[in-house]
Amino acid sequence: MHGLINRAIQCFVRDTYGEEIWMDVARGVALDASGFEAMLFYDDALTDQVLGGIVSLLNKPRDEVLEDIGTYLVSHPNAEALRRLLRFGGVDFMEFLHSLDDLPDRARMAVSDLELPRLELHDDRDSCLHLHVRSDRDGFGPVMLGVLRTMADDYGALVFLDLRHRGPGDDVIYIALVETAFAEGRSFTLSAGKG
């Protein structure tokens, strides 16, 4: 697993639950206290062990922890750069959704060896879509669910989201868009300042 993904998991635990919880997770898998280096690769089994340790320590279901990681990635001040990158996908939530097909390729432009899941958005009917999340690794569906929930709030859209597992590494998120301008979204400007 790419170190950026592992490092994101580590930062999620430290920023959300504190250094002590992270240290407990690291000790449980015999990982150095400093954790993961962002540009290295790690055995997938180590990532699974880290996630297992987090699930056990927090006493939360795995999918819930993964969804929380997705939420963290686009809502925490330490991850503002990712939120900004995603907001360039469109002026409203519907445009953002239609930009997701290109997200893995855009990410590879920044980090050439980063493998993200394949994302395919399909229209079922008016205001109802489904996003296929496919990967060689299981767990990206719940992460994307957290990202979508947070980005919908960010845009001020009212949506209903439902995740269905179809098999290992094969998830579908059903998206019912109720209203695109339900609430005032978070401000967004092209400059890197607040907003």
Side-chain angles (χ1 to χ4, degrees), residues 7-113:
R7 184 76 180 177
I9 295 168
Q10 175 182 336
C11 291
F12 159 74
V13 172
R14 290 167 90 174
D15 292 343
T16 307
Y17 297 100
E19 181 73 26
E20 194 170 311
I21 295 292
W22 170 250
M23 295 303 292
D24 288 346
V25 171
R27 275 191 296 274
V29 297
L31 184 64
D32 184 79
S34 61
F36 296 104
E37 291 293 327
M39 299 312 288
L40 297 179
F41 280 88
Y42 297 88
D43 191 301
D44 289 349
L46 178 59
T47 305
D48 289 335
Q49 291 170 353
V50 167
L51 285 171
I54 295 166
V55 164
S56 178
L57 280 170
L58 299 179
N59 195 26
K60 293 173 91 171
R62 185 175 189 268
D63 278 2
E64 191 174 317
V65 169
L66 291 168
E67 184 178 342
D68 290 348
I69 290 170
T71 299
Y72 166 84
L73 289 174
V74 290
S75 65
H76 196 276
N78 290 347
E80 182 66 19
L82 180 57
R83 172 192 173 252
R84 293 184 54 69
L85 176 68
L86 292 175
R87 282 299 297 256
F88 277 107
V91 296
D92 62 24
F93 188 65
M94 188 62 86
E95 279 189 23
F96 162 74
L97 288 173
H98 284 284
S99 76
L100 290 175
D101 291 358
D102 299 327
L103 184 61
D105 291 332
R106 285 187 280 150
R108 274 191 296 278
M109 285 181 7
V111 183
S112 61
D113 53 359

Side-chain angles (χ1 to χ4, degrees), residues 165-192:
H165 297 292
R166 294 171 26 145
D170 187 10
D171 298 312
V172 177
I173 300 173
Y174 292 90
I175 306 161
L177 182 58
V178 177
E179 190 173 336
T180 58
F182 178 73
E184 186 175 340
R186 285 180 61 193
S187 65
F188 177 73
T189 60
L190 294 177
S191 65

Side-chain angles (χ1 to χ4, degrees), residues 1-2 4-6 8-9 44 47-48 51 62-63 65-71 73 103-104 114-119 131-148 163-165 167-173:
M1 183 71 66
H2 199 288
L4 276 175
I5 293 172
N6 287 319
I9 295 168
D44 289 349
T47 305
D48 289 335
L51 285 171
R62 185 175 189 268
D63 278 2
V65 169
L66 291 168
E67 184 178 342
D68 290 348
I69 290 170
T71 299
L73 289 174
L103 184 61
L114 179 63
E115 288 295 322
L116 293 180
R118 294 171 303 284
L119 304 172
L131 179 68
H132 283 261
V133 182
R134 293 184 180 106
S135 176
D136 295 336
R137 299 269 312 137
D138 198 26
F140 283 106
V143 172
M144 280 306 301
L145 183 65
V147 168
L148 292 181
L163 174 68
R164 306 266 174 90
H165 297 292
D170 187 10
D171 298 312
V172 177
I173 300 173

